[in-house]
Amino acid sequence: MISLVLVGAAGRMGRAIAETTAVVPGFKVKACVDQALHVSELDGPEWGSDLSRFAAPGDVVVEFSTAAAAVQAAQVCAEKGAALISGTTGLTEAEEEAIRTAGRRVAVLRSANFSMGVLALRRALNAAIPVLATWDVEIVERHHRGKQDSPSGTAMLLAHEVAMRRGIPAAALRHGRQGRLGPRPADEIGVHALRGGSWVGDHTVLLAGAGEWIELRHVAQDRSAFAHGVLAAAGFVAKASPGFYTFDAVLS
Ligand code: NAD
């Protein structure tokens, strides 16, 4: 039985992970950490706002919260000897580095997207890019109106993977277009963020050539799409040596 400590437990992802854990054998939620008030249920996991009260060796801390809470969770995991799954997006490079640093002491797995479908989309895109070397690439993502960061971490991951495969700098990303910009440069990657309603997560990669185009699209209909991947990742880090891992490691 793998013990999970959920950070951001009262949030959209925290609640989805708790619901999925209840129906997947081999996992239990040991404790829930959040700043938001929550009425503890009888016989349910303990709630609190201080992760260091709960994290212990053998636990897997799962954080979907804020950038500051993600960095703090990484520090607590390194001190307490608990493994970490980190899913918060929109971190600065310094914050990303602080999380990677915890991987020197404990197993840390971080991903901008824990869905199997997005992993498959990334692999399909990586196969298409060398075949369609001169085609224009545009990425369109949609998320709910409450999302804090734009573009999504997943859109940035997809864009950076295309840029890396084409050998073009991250500066070649074009975030939206306005005004008299002239013809589209060949080495540009367009990234467009739409916000509204309750969209859970929708990513489309458009590849446009002369007289033809293709579209690779993933739609997360509900957050269980991420929660199942999170539990697979928790099973992985529970047995892994200290180090920094990405979601690709779970299925390799
Ligand atoms: P949310 O706002 O619904 O939930 C965040 C929760 O974190 C809130 O309940 C808040 O009270 C809590 N929180 C804030 N500061 C805290 C602290 N210091 N300690 C403990 N809890 C704290 O957000 P959400 O929709 O659940 O998303 C959370 C993050 O996960 C976002 O960055 C989002 O982009 C990301 N996300 C990642 C994936 C993925 O697959 N990697 C999937 C969905 C969402």
Side-chain angles (χ1 to χ4, degrees):
M1 185 66 75
I2 295 172
S3 281
L4 306 180
V5 179
L6 304 183
V7 176
R12 285 172 282 246
M13 275 304 295
R15 282 179 279 132
I17 294 164
E19 279 166 23
T20 302
T21 304
V23 296
V24 175
F27 298 90
K28 69 165 192 228
V29 177
K30 171 183 143 180
C32 291
V33 178
D34 205 296
Q35 287 181 328
L37 285 176
H38 192 91
V39 179
S40 203
E41 289 169 28
L42 284 178
D43 301 327
E46 204 177 337
W47 280 74
S49 58
D50 181 6
L51 174 62
S52 60
R53 262 185 63 208
F54 302 113
D59 292 342
V60 178
V61 171
V62 176
E63 80 72 24
F64 285 78
S65 50
T66 63
V71 170
Q72 199 184 16
Q75 286 161 352
V76 171
C77 286
E79 280 163 25
K80 300 282 182 176
L84 174 67
I85 303 289
S86 173
T88 298
T89 56
L91 274 60
T92 63
E93 184 44 38
E95 289 162 341
E96 294 282 1
E97 179 56 26
I99 292 177
R100 282 195 291 271
T101 301
R104 294 184 196 147
R105 307 215 5 217
V106 293
V108 175
L109 190 149
R110 179 154 165 75
S111 177
N113 197 301
F114 282 88
S115 103
M116 297 294 183
V118 165
L119 186 60
L121 183 150
R122 285 173 48 217
R123 290 185 179 179
L125 180 60
N126 279 328
I129 287 297
V131 180
L132 310 173
T134 60
W135 286 29
D136 298 326
V137 179
E138 298 277 317
I139 297 169
V140 182
E141 58 98 337
R142 307 170 203 216
H143 282 86
H144 55 91
R145 68 202 312 281
K147 185 165 175 61
Q148 301 285 327
D149 53 314
S150 297
S152 69
T154 304
M156 293 303 287
L157 176 66
L158 293 167
H160 283 141
E161 286 184 343
V162 173
M164 200 179 65
R165 287 192 81 88
R166 288 198 164 167
I168 57 180
L173 303 194
R174 164 77 70 176
H175 297 282
R177 291 188 183 83
Q178 186 185 26
R180 195 184 293 269
L181 299 175
R184 182 192 196 285
D187 63 356
E188 193 167 277
I189 300 169
V191 184
H192 312 280
L194 316 187
R195 293 288 173 269
S198 57
W199 283 319
V200 170
D202 184 330
H203 293 88
T204 302
V205 183
L206 294 129
L207 299 118
E212 56 179 333
W213 62 281
I214 63 174
E215 179 176 284
L216 300 172
R217 183 177 183 191
H218 175 267
V219 178
Q221 290 176 285
D222 67 61
R223 290 177 179 80
S224 65
F226 310 119
H228 284 285
V230 166
L231 293 187
F236 175 87
V237 292
K239 296 191 198 113
S241 306
F244 182 79
Y245 303 93
T246 64
F247 193 47
D248 300 72
V250 177
L251 297 182
S252 60

